[in-house]
Amino acid sequence: MRRPVLTGAAVLRALHHGPRLPLVLPGPWDAASARVFADAGFPALATPSAGVAAALGYADGDVPPDEMFAAIGRIVRAVDVPVTADVEDGYGLGARELVARLAEAGAVGCNLEDGDRAGGGLVAAERQAARLAAVRAAAGDALVINARVDTYVRGAGGVAETVRRGRLYAAAGADCVYPIMAPPAELAALADGIGLPLNALAVPGGPSPEELGALGASRVTFGPGQQRRAMAAVAAEARQLRGGE
């Protein structure tokens, strides 16, 4: 019997539970960087909103939605591995429109955060859970939802509140929970308490992806760090060239 062909979302979802954990997802900011990471053998990629914004000449959070989705589309077209996209708080789009825009761009996963960018705090957990449930209903199984929890970056950190939110988001249909900037020492408690694959952020000077995996992370991403380091290398070369004049 012929085995069914897995969709991109099914492949990405399976990678969160595969034998090679943590799933390390580099963060391409344009088509060229995406090809570099895919050619290196990474099985999937995760676009960082801040890195894409910088590549487009915007501050983080200031990219017009049309430009962000167009950039995601160029990254997806450049590679033959699944791509999940950071779409911040969803740009005010309704669930059906957001899912349609992601599908049009070719992304098979997304980050959705519960930080209130306008007010600076957190969206009520129940409200965010309802939004995630609407996205799940609109997407079915065709989208891997990574529910970002902003407790630690919004001054409301702690295992108890993060677990509370994570459980609500899991019940709403999230595939993965991302307590961004959670202390590495708390990852195990968060993973056990939430019960879904946990996304951890790798930062310079912090634990390696392998170490984050040993601490409880099933998935590791890099935010805009790789884009910033690449631009730092370009800046260093520019200074060297100017110094040689």
Side-chain angles (χ1 to χ4, degrees):
M1 181 180 295
R2 180 179 295 178
R3 294 182 178 179
V5 177
L6 296 178
T7 66
V11 170
L12 179 60
R13 188 173 288 112
L15 288 170
H16 290 74
H17 303 275
R20 298 187 63 180
L21 292 178
L23 171 60
V24 178
L25 295 172
W29 53 93
D30 61 12
S33 59
R35 284 177 177 164
V36 169
F37 291 132
D39 288 348
F42 288 96
L45 306 175
T47 70
S49 63
V52 173
L56 294 174
Y58 291 96
D60 185 24
D62 288 348
V63 182
D66 286 351
E67 291 196 45
M68 179 61 76
F69 286 111
I72 293 167
R74 289 191 291 272
I75 289 169
V76 170
R77 288 193 296 273
V79 298
D80 58 1
V81 299
V83 175
T84 178
D86 180 357
V87 289
E88 304 174 54
D89 60 1
Y91 309 115
L93 301 174
R96 288 188 178 184
E97 184 176 0
L98 177 62
V99 169
R101 296 295 298 270
L102 286 164
E104 182 182 11
V108 297
C110 71
N111 286 7
L112 281 171
E113 64 194 51
D114 64 3
D116 183 351
R117 289 189 174 236
L122 292 167
V123 174
E126 293 76 11
R127 177 182 169 193
Q128 182 70 1
R131 181 140 199 271
L132 292 170
V135 172
R136 171 56 69 213
D141 291 333
L143 191 69
V144 176
I145 300 174
N146 188 30
R148 195 179 106 172
V149 185
D150 280 12
T151 45
Y152 291 97
V153 297
R154 299 288 182 174
V159 171
E161 176 61 13
T162 306
V163 167
R164 184 182 79 87
R165 286 176 172 264
R167 285 177 173 172
L168 285 171
Y169 302 161
D175 296 282
C176 185
V177 172
Y178 180 18
I180 186 171
M181 298 302 294
E186 296 182 6
L187 292 177
L190 293 171
D192 289 343
I194 295 170
L196 283 183
L198 201 74
N199 189 150
L201 177 68
V203 297
S208 68
E210 292 75 17
E211 290 168 333
L212 290 170
L215 290 168
S218 296
R219 160 175 165 159
V220 175
T221 53
F222 302 85
Q226 292 167 316
Q227 186 271 340
R228 289 172 180 170
R229 288 191 291 278
M231 291 303 99
V234 172
E237 181 173 353
R239 289 192 297 271
Q240 183 180 25
L241 291 171
R242 285 288 291 175
E245 289 183 357

